[in-house]
Amino acid sequence: TVLLTVGAVLTSVVLGLACALLVDRKFLGRGICRTLLIAPFLVMPAAAALLWKTTMLNPVFGIVNWVLGPLGVGDVDWASQYPLFTIILVETWHWAPFMMLILLGGLQSQDRSVLEAARVDGATTIQTFRFLTLPHLRQFIELGVVLGSIYLVQTFDSIFMITQGGPGTATTNLPFELYQTAFRAFDVGEAAALGVIVVILTI
């Protein structure tokens, strides 16, 4: 659960920041690009999981294997061979747009005159980002990490649809363990206790 949540949250923040920096610039078709980047966040989690399982990561007909084929990757069964990576990938694809929206709001709230002054004083793009933009975005990054952790600790749809918690318990988190305890083992008492733990972690 910890590795899944931490991996998905950190990857979503980094990818969301990269996308936010991209669409914060002025270029032709910026509105369309923003809409396309936000689109994955609007897809229902169960539908997103099915899309990745049947279309993107299918070992025989999957788009990912087709794209990586010329690189000699071959027919990889991602869900079986790399289950944790697969779930992190799906959750990152789904939540990176959410992080992008938060960080884009932070970028647009930054005082442009300060950035212009830094350029006039000879600061490079990297220096401007490191010493001005990144400190300004700190509270927005913290907000994204907190909200992302709250949502991702409750991940169920992609695990249920793609890996069923396996192989073994490789991708079993607390919500999926709760489901198995309640609806497969019919141990309602233990499931209720797990539910309390999930709520405490969320808080």
Side-chain angles (χ1 to χ4, degrees):
T1 300
V2 175
L3 189 58
L4 170 62
T5 304
V6 171
V9 169
L10 292 181
T11 312
S12 297
V13 169
V14 172
L15 187 58
L17 178 59
C19 293
L21 290 170
L22 173 67
V23 296
D24 188 47
R25 299 173 177 271
K26 292 183 179 179
F27 57 89
L28 184 65
R30 181 172 68 168
I32 296 173
C33 187
R34 284 181 177 178
T35 304
L36 291 174
L37 287 173
I38 293 169
F41 183 59
L42 306 177
V43 178
M44 294 296 292
L50 280 176
L51 171 70
W52 277 92
K53 180 181 180 180
T54 59
T55 306
M56 303 297 293
L57 300 177
N58 186 286
V60 180
F61 307 108
I63 294 175
V64 172
N65 281 344
W66 178 73
V67 171
L68 296 178
L71 302 177
V73 174
D75 297 332
V76 179
D77 189 349
W78 296 93
S80 297
Q81 294 177 249
Y82 309 100
L84 190 60
F85 171 78
T86 299
I87 299 300
I88 290 175
L89 176 66
V90 174
E91 292 303 314
T92 299
W93 176 83
H94 194 248
W95 286 101
F98 175 74
M99 303 298 182
M100 184 196 77
L101 286 174
I102 293 175
L103 297 174
L104 182 59
L107 286 172
Q108 293 184 338
S109 69
Q110 190 173 19
D111 189 354
R112 300 291 174 177
S113 63
V114 176
L115 299 178
E116 291 297 331
R119 291 193 189 96
V120 171
D121 288 340
T124 64
T125 303
I126 295 175
Q127 289 173 330
T128 303
F129 175 76
R130 180 182 175 186
F131 295 108
L132 295 175
T133 303
L134 202 55
H136 173 77
L137 288 178
R138 178 182 171 183
Q139 58 185 341
F140 297 93
I141 292 173
E142 290 173 353
L143 176 64
V145 168
V146 169
L147 293 177
S149 300
I150 289 171
Y151 291 127
L152 285 163
V153 80
Q154 302 174 45
T155 299
F156 177 82
D157 306 73
S158 55
I159 294 174
F160 180 79
M161 292 288 184
I162 299 174
T163 63
Q164 285 284 310
T169 57
T171 55
T172 300
N173 62 354
L174 277 176
F176 192 78
E177 179 68 23
L178 190 155
Y179 162 77
Q180 288 184 312
T181 304
F183 298 104
R184 292 188 179 177
F186 299 106
D187 190 341
V188 178
E190 185 178 340
L194 285 172
V196 172
I197 292 173
V198 172
V199 171
I200 292 172
L201 288 175
T202 302
I203 292 172

